[in-house]
Amino acid sequence: MKFHHIGVACKNIDEEIANISKIHTITKQTDKVIDAQQNAELLLLTLADGTNMELIAGKQVETFVKKNITYYHICFEVDDILAEIDRLVAEGAFLVSPPKPAVLFGNRLVAFLNVSYGLIELLNSN
């Protein structure tokens, strides 16, 4: 597993970009996408140090935002998403959302699991 991005829940993506740009230098920004399967509006930022930050707004994160919780998930890129899910579940993880294509990542498969330190997303490398 290789770190890919941190997921941040927000009410309004444009407002959050403005807030983040006061703190960090944003070097790249994808177009906003609507992902019906994820039930969310999404965008990926790259900061000057190379860190990727995914902004998520919509129904998917509504409960988090209402509670002022902005940390949503950490994403790891993996070579074999199914094998990694099996490995993590065997170690006590709980599969929250099985693999499905993610529009923001060129329809590569993503899955979400709850582990001891919170929600993680797995992003298939191909």
Side-chain angles (χ1 to χ4, degrees):
M1 294 193 322
K2 179 183 175 194
F3 176 79
H4 188 270
H5 69 263
I6 185 166
V8 176
C10 58
K11 185 175 184 177
N12 180 294
I13 286 179
D14 293 323
E15 288 176 11
E16 195 57 39
I17 292 168
N19 292 333
I20 290 167
S21 67
K22 293 175 189 174
I23 301 167
H24 301 280
T25 300
I26 298 169
T27 58
K28 281 194 222 172
Q29 176 179 321
T30 66
D31 292 331
K32 275 189 272 186
V33 298
I34 303 291
D35 191 326
Q37 289 195 53
Q38 304 293 337
N39 202 12
E41 181 180 34
L42 309 156
L43 175 138
L44 192 71
L45 301 174
T46 302
L47 307 181
D49 70 352
T51 302
N52 290 320
M53 187 179 291
E54 180 185 26
L55 303 182
I56 306 107
K59 199 84 167 150
Q60 180 79 7
V61 295
E62 202 171 70
T63 303
F64 285 85
V65 172
K66 283 181 183 176
K67 295 178 181 179
N68 286 328
I69 299 169
T70 56
Y71 164 72
Y72 183 47
H73 67 266
I74 296 175
C75 178
F76 296 97
E77 194 168 21
V78 298
D79 291 330
D80 184 340
I81 196 167
L82 297 176
E84 200 59 34
I85 290 169
D86 288 344
R87 182 184 77 80
L88 293 171
V89 168
E91 293 296 331
F94 175 77
L95 182 62
V96 175
S97 177
K100 56 184 149 191
V103 173
L104 185 62
F105 301 112
N107 289 317
R108 291 192 285 164
L109 294 178
V110 297
F112 287 86
L113 296 99
N114 194 14
V115 297
S116 64
Y117 56 87
L119 189 66
I120 64 169
E121 177 182 26
L122 300 180
L123 171 62
N124 211 51
S125 60
N126 51 24

